[in-house]
Amino acid sequence: MKAVLADAYGGPEVLQIIEDVPAPRVGPNGVQVQIHATSVNPVDWKLRKGLLAPIWKLRFPVIWGCDCSGVVTEVGSAVTLFKPGDEVYGFKHGKVAQTYRGSYCEYAAFPENTLAKKPRNLTHEQAAAVPLAAVTAWQALSNLGKLKPASRVLIHAGAGGVGSFAIQIAKGFGAMVAATASTGNQNLLRELGADLAIDYTRERIEDKISGYDIALDGVGKSVWRSSFKALRFGGRLVTLTAPIPSKPTNRLHFFGSAVFGIASGKLRGLMAGKRLLITSVKPRGGDLEKITGLIEAGRIRPVIDKVFPLEQIADAHRLSEAGHVRGKIVIKIG
């Protein structure tokens, strides 16, 4: 099969198209998928650069990539949910033992419980933009945020991959949603359903809202102060920004006051009676099935910035790493 292999950590240039990589076999609970499309998530280029190397010790070569949309070609003996010919989508963490086998390839093996039937009203390119970002938003809001009907929710980076799904999911729950984005993305926030669009380049969040139940942070510590000011007593700030260093290092970084500096007096005062939580997404086909229902009902749609062919995977990584992507970057696998 054709696949994108990397022989070492580094820049986008380490992503090499190889034509004769052996296709994966499946175990009893595995599903082999012929991938029609995948996507680029920030975790992909953070892995490529070696920013997670202290946590994941890998043996090269590796295939990066998490998301997939495609057609089932083979199933393991214990698989009951899928059969060859089914159109499916999903995502996985590609680490198996000391190897990494992701979705930048023509065929990949996925655990049965990480997949769901592809929404009937989406193309493979559209479906590939959904799994990791949408499930991240779902788990962050519903599991950690304790999202309920009539919750008041602040979503940072609402025009991004996770943020664009978070707005729609929160509205699907019946929440009141305020979302932040730059000037050029204010209309997109409203199109996605945000009740209040906040231009973070011109407006202070704490001047626009207060008494909110949940804040979802996809930006980083720079928005914590304003988020805590906007939250009510008992409110929750859920952050997606794990303590990943900005450059490769042999030193492990742990979540806590030593890393984030939350022990500073002013921030500690703002946190009184409020919770700071970090989310770590888990591939769950059951969560994706719920999202599929919302997609087929017309209540959620993916936002796609650009579609690249597999041969331009390095350019796709450069665009993602530059930041300010509007929705998702999709990779079409021919």
Side-chain angles (χ1 to χ4, degrees), residues 74 127 256 289:
E74 182 183 350
E289 287 175 355

Side-chain angles (χ1 to χ4, degrees), residues 154 196 198 202-210 225-227 229-230:
L154 167 64
L196 176 63
I198 300 175
R202 301 179 178 182
E203 300 172 304
R204 296 200 318 166
I205 293 165
E206 58 268 38
D207 293 339
K208 303 289 290 187
I209 60 172
S210 62
R225 187 177 303 278
S226 58
S227 298
K229 286 183 177 180

Side-chain angles (χ1 to χ4, degrees), residues 30-41:
V31 177
Q32 186 191 72
V33 178
Q34 181 181 12
I35 300 177
H36 289 215
T38 180
S39 79
V40 176
N41 294 286

